[in-house]
Amino acid sequence: MYGRLVGALLVVVLATARLTAQADIGPGATRDAAIEHPYRPGVDVQSYDLTLDLPQSGNVIAGYAVLEIRHTTRVDTLVLDLLQLTVDSVRMDGVRVPFSRTPAEIHVAFRPNGKFPVRVEVAYHGAVEDGLIIRSDSAGRWTGFGDNWPNRARHWIPSVDHPSDKATVTWTVRAPAERTVVANGVLVYHKPLPNGRMETRWHESHPIPVYLMVIAAAPLAEYSLGPLAGCGRNGGSTRCIPQLVYTAPEQRPMLPGAFARAGDIVSYYWSLVGPFPYEDLKHLQSSTRFGGMENATAIFYADAAFRTGRMNEGLIAHETAHQWFGDAVTEREWSHLWLSEGFATYFSALWTQHAHGEAAFRHDMESIRASVLADAEAVPSHPVIDSLQRDLLALLNTNSYQKGGFVLHMLRRQVGDSSYFAALRSYYASYRDGTALTDDLREAMEQASGQKLGWFFDQWLRRPGYPELDVTWSSDPSSHQVTLEIAQGPRFGAFRVPLTVELRNANGATQRMTVLVPAENQVQLVLPAGTRPITPSSLVVDPDVELLARIAVHHR
Ligand SMILES: [Zn+2]
């Protein structure tokens, strides 16, 4: 998701020399499993079959939810999240059963000796206040758009409303025929009903988290980006992903606009990571409260982005990257949100590099780094993996997005391009349609690179801040020897980082070298003499924007 409308594009860079292999001196890996706490232990929803009757006007809906539920360990009671709405009946395997209601939950006893999987049916109705955003658009037309992140699906869907429990979803929506209904997955049918109403069914056959299960019901114009908009290799053959854009009718003349390269974005990510995870991809003008929301196969963008002409390729690239990272591979715990937002941030920058070149990528990485260094809230006081944060909206911060994105950039330099993309492909293939934690990514990177990376993940993701390096350099003209004195801390402590410096002499000749700065408060490093040593008149630190650090340089 993108929290705000994006003014500038983000970008990518990669071209770094592989660093010399280093011994693992870090404290070793922390097992994420230790902090896992199942949201609804013993219960695993396999599928949601959701039927909604939408009104001609107003916000009162009627719903019928059918959940197929598997037992993972023995539990006596099924607890479903549902706020506010009235529950009319609950059935288990066709038999009406008693239930109890709290303001936020439905409690139903599993039948003794009942078989699993069990089919649970919930009939409900009422006025929807959130989750499904019902409002009149600027032309006074009724519109409804799902907007669930992080746990607002429970305003309108009886569910196990947590990213750890993914399921398939079928949507059957009955609405006035003049509304176009779009939802996750593929269109199954349209069927006219009496009284000018229409029934529309969509089905997503891959498991997705509840926060991505949405519908749109509004007067929408459809624009096809073509059946070949985004292709890639799938096994031995080529597969293409149809893409459609849906906007308010009066916005249609603007298309394709920023969506002109939506197909290329899919093809590029496909080539980097692996096959697009779903059957199709839709982009919609919507009422999401975010700049963009990556609902599986149906990305919702802020209405204002269209109306003010601010839709842009960077935002499309960000939300499209989420289809792989966030949607197909989902963070199992909210504290690992960077596995979704850090990836989307970095992959948007990678798209910039691919489409617009190195200078644009470097500019994006500079602006990502500048955001981290300027942040006075999350970055200096919280680690990226923030298991103590209970306010989920507060996780939409510079740590999850920009710092997470820059960490992925530094991880790439640490292991080298070949290992990095091999690991991403393996991570995606292993956890696609499932969930993952940070250690799963670490293990994929360790496997591909042969390096122990616990120290890297710990220093960048499990403690706040970033390195603050004070670099004093001096040179000896007779020996051409250049010495760096580097001080770190005390604000965030000392980090172990590679540091590239570029020496430049009075004639403009340059020489680059990379040194490993150990995690020590004070260190003196002598640069190795190059094959054609120069006497530097100036020294540039981190010329390629590869290090997340605040760096001050002095000459002695
Ligand atoms: Zn995002």
Side-chain angles (χ1 to χ4, degrees):
M1 138 210 346
Y2 215 96
R4 302 177 301 277
L5 295 184
V6 191
L9 304 187
L10 297 185
V11 204
V12 170
V13 134
L14 306 189
T16 64
R18 181 164 178 165
L19 299 170
T20 329
Q22 303 138 7
D24 180 26
I25 55 169
T30 307
R31 290 304 309 174
D32 291 329
I35 57 161
E36 278 189 70
H37 34 79
Y39 181 72
R40 298 285 186 225
V43 163
D44 178 12
V45 182
Q46 303 288 290
S47 65
Y48 291 86
D49 190 339
L50 304 169
T51 301
L52 286 184
D53 273 286
L54 300 180
Q56 182 72 39
S57 62
N59 64 343
V60 174
I61 65 165
Y64 201 82
V66 181
L67 286 66
E68 186 172 285
I69 295 175
R70 208 164 57 89
H71 235 179
T72 53
T73 57
R74 182 174 168 75
V75 287
D76 297 331
T77 305
L78 171 66
V79 179
L80 296 176
D81 298 299
L82 184 69
L83 295 168
Q84 200 171 17
L85 301 182
T86 302
V87 176
D88 303 307
S89 67
V90 177
R91 284 182 159 76
M92 275 203 185
D93 286 333
V95 178
R96 196 160 169 159
V97 293
F99 63 91
S100 62
R101 189 82 172 96
T102 73
E105 294 168 349
I106 309 168
H107 293 236
V108 194
F110 283 118
R111 293 181 302 149
N113 307 318
K115 289 204 173 62
F116 283 88
V118 63
R119 178 184 159 97
V120 175
E121 300 166 66
V122 180
Y124 61 105
H125 74 277
V128 181
E129 302 294 346
D130 196 4
L132 180 64
I133 310 292
I134 294 174
R135 70 175 194 193
S136 296
D137 69 9
S138 54
R141 300 167 296 211
W142 190 102
T143 67
F145 290 95
D147 192 40
N148 294 336
W149 201 95
N151 57 357
R152 290 147 62 223
R154 62 189 66 191
H155 284 277
W156 61 300
I157 306 172
S159 54
V160 173
D161 190 9
H162 191 270
S164 57
D165 192 349
K166 297 174 77 169
T168 63
V169 62
T170 304
W171 288 103
T172 305
V173 179
R174 302 181 192 125
E178 67 271 16
R179 291 178 202 154
T180 299
V181 172
V182 179
N184 310 102
V186 294
L187 178 65
V188 182
Y189 65 74
H190 290 300
K191 185 170 81 180
L193 300 173
N195 305 319
R197 290 172 70 82
M198 180 80 83
E199 182 175 288
T200 307
R201 178 169 291 173
W202 290 81
H203 175 63
E204 177 48 65
S205 62
H206 298 84
I208 60 176
V210 174
Y211 75 85
L212 298 175
M213 295 180 183
V214 294
I215 63 159
L220 292 170
E222 181 183 296
Y223 180 98
S224 173
L225 294 171
L228 305 181
C231 303
R233 301 295 294 172
N234 194 34
S237 61
T238 297
R239 188 164 70 95
C240 296
I241 303 301
Q243 289 195 59
L244 297 166
V245 185
Y246 292 89
T247 63
E250 61 275 13
Q251 296 292 323
R252 195 179 185 282
M254 318 287 187
L255 297 176
F259 294 94
R261 301 202 66 186
D264 296 335
I265 293 171
V266 165
S267 300
Y268 178 58
Y269 292 159
W270 190 323
S271 72
L272 286 183
V273 192
F276 183 79
Y278 305 111
E279 305 86 346
D280 68 0
L281 182 58
K282 288 91 69 181
H283 304 267
L284 292 89
Q285 181 180 0
S286 81
S287 300
T288 177
R289 63 156 71 169
F290 306 107
M293 181 60 216
E294 66 270 17
N295 306 308
T297 79
I299 298 170
F300 285 12
Y301 300 93
D303 182 72
F306 288 82
R307 296 195 185 280
T308 61
R310 292 173 68 192
M311 267 310 304
N312 65 74
E313 213 177 275
L315 178 56
I316 295 166
H318 178 108
E319 303 305 339
T320 301
H322 272 307
Q323 303 294 309
W324 283 263
F325 299 109
D327 296 8
V329 179
T330 304
E331 62 284 359
R332 191 178 315 145
E333 296 291 339
W334 287 120
S335 53
H336 294 248
L337 183 62
W338 84 281
L339 291 174
S340 178
E341 297 302 349
F343 271 89
T345 301
Y346 189 52
F347 270 68
S348 178
L350 287 176
W351 165 255
T352 302
Q353 182 182 39
H354 175 74
H356 305 289
E358 291 300 323
F361 172 68
R362 202 158 305 182
H363 178 264
D364 278 6
M365 294 314 296
E366 275 171 358
S367 84
I368 291 172
R369 181 170 64 188
S371 303
V372 177
L373 300 185
D375 186 78
E377 306 279 331
V379 171
S381 51
H382 297 264
V384 171
I385 301 171
D386 188 359
S387 47
L388 300 179
Q389 181 56 264
R390 291 291 165 260
D391 175 2
L392 299 179
L393 284 167
L395 290 172
L396 300 182
N397 59 30
T398 309
N399 271 334
S400 300
Y401 285 75
Q402 288 90 347
K403 186 175 173 186
F406 212 105
V407 168
L408 287 171
H409 185 46
M410 293 187 291
L411 181 57
R412 176 177 180 178
R413 186 189 195 199
Q414 177 63 38
V415 301
D417 270 15
S418 156
S419 294
Y420 184 78
F421 287 104
L424 289 188
R425 285 190 286 275
S426 148
Y427 170 74
Y428 173 64
S430 298
Y431 300 102
R432 178 179 171 179
D433 296 334
T435 62
L437 295 172
T438 302
D439 273 346
D440 299 318
L441 178 66
R442 178 183 56 75
E443 281 169 11
M445 288 287 161
E446 288 182 340
Q447 193 113 41
S449 68
Q451 296 182 34
K452 289 285 185 193
L453 294 167
W455 66 271
F456 179 96
F457 282 77
D458 286 349
Q459 83 170 7
W460 289 113
L461 301 169
R462 293 191 165 89
R463 60 186 250 208
Y466 42 79
E468 292 186 313
L469 303 179
D470 202 67
V471 180
T472 302
W473 68 280
S474 55
S475 61
D476 178 342
S478 57
S479 67
H480 298 293
Q481 184 171 291
V482 176
T483 304
L484 305 181
E485 286 170 43
I486 300 175
Q488 294 197 57
R491 194 173 173 215
F492 300 124
F495 286 68
R496 166 182 168 184
V497 295
L499 186 69
T500 299
V501 297
E502 184 175 281
L503 308 176
R504 186 174 299 243
N505 71 8
N507 301 324
T510 62
Q511 192 174 59
R512 278 192 185 193
M513 48 196 68
T514 298
V515 292
L516 179 62
V517 179
E520 294 169 18
N521 293 333
Q522 294 278 351
V523 66
Q524 189 179 71
L525 301 169
V526 176
L527 296 186
T531 46
R532 283 186 300 153
I534 65 176
T535 299
S537 57
S538 67
L539 176 144
V540 177
V541 172
D542 191 31
D544 289 334
V545 199
E546 297 168 310
L547 181 61
L548 179 58
R550 191 188 302 283
I551 305 172
V553 181
H554 317 275
H555 184 210
R556 176 176 295 147

